[in-house]
Amino acid sequence: MSAAAAEPQPAMEDRQRTDATELPVTDAPVPAELAELEDRIYAFNVERTGIRDGRLLAIMLRDDRGEPYAGLHGHTWGGCCEIKVLWVAEAHRGAGLGRRLLLAAEQEAGRRGCTRVVLTSHSFQAPGFYERLGYRRLAEIPDYPRGHRQVVLTKTLGDG
């Protein structure tokens, strides 16, 4: 038996805990590093699926001073559109702007060959808004965040 084999090894759980505490965790990531992670997972996904039609999708509306007052971003890939963020400033809510943003994104997704849109909304945000526009709840994750729910919604394009 070798000397290395004779030495006691820490349990896997202990090694994982030690390894995790030594990693550089931050709450201020460098945007270029985040983009690099996105690029690398996209490359992995393309390698595994053969689907290489991924494109970002964004709409940003700014006032005369250049300040954003509404926007949307997500991506299309493999016949699906994922909306990550849809936001309208408080002063512009209730006038149909969110609906216009979402419909514009759906139209562009359709032009890109997408047949489905997926998104999430917290229970205190706008799941009812999405449902009124034809989205269907697929799942709810309780206590995300604490005391609320994360709602997963989808819409098949062409269904209204």
Side-chain angles (χ1 to χ4, degrees):
M1 183 183 277
S2 72
E7 295 178 23
Q9 298 292 315
M12 177 61 84
E13 183 178 299
D14 291 337
R15 286 197 312 260
Q16 288 173 341
R17 186 174 19 256
T18 300
D19 291 345
T21 59
E22 295 172 3
L23 296 176
V25 177
T26 181
D27 63 354
V30 176
E33 290 175 342
L34 297 179
E36 184 176 10
L37 287 175
E38 292 282 348
D39 290 346
R40 290 184 182 232
I41 194 65
Y42 177 72
F44 172 85
N45 292 345
V46 167
E47 178 184 318
R48 292 299 171 113
T49 66
I51 302 170
R52 58 183 68 250
D53 64 352
R55 293 171 59 192
L56 295 175
L57 186 149
I59 304 167
M60 180 63 81
L61 303 179
R62 295 180 181 277
D63 64 20
D64 294 338
R65 297 182 320 266
E67 293 295 318
Y69 65 89
L72 172 151
H73 84 81
H75 66 270
T76 58
W77 178 63
C80 296
C81 173
E82 182 178 10
I83 305 296
K84 300 293 282 183
V85 173
L86 188 157
W87 171 80
V88 177
E90 189 76 37
H92 294 273
R93 293 181 190 160
L97 189 52
R99 180 180 186 278
R100 288 179 49 215
L101 287 166
L102 192 57
L103 292 177
E106 290 175 3
Q107 288 173 355
E108 178 59 24
R111 281 191 288 275
R112 296 180 186 188
C114 295
T115 58
R116 174 172 310 283
V117 179
V118 295
L119 55 84
T120 61
S121 179
H122 289 293
S123 55
F124 58 86
Q125 290 176 327
F129 162 78
Y130 296 111
E131 289 171 321
R132 287 189 298 278
L133 293 175
Y135 285 76
R136 183 174 53 89
R137 287 182 194 226
L138 289 182
E140 292 188 5
I141 303 166
D143 286 326
Y144 179 39
R146 184 176 42 251
H148 302 279
R149 296 174 317 283
Q150 175 87 351
V151 181
V152 180
L153 300 111
T154 187
K155 179 178 181 178
T156 301
L157 295 178
D159 283 355

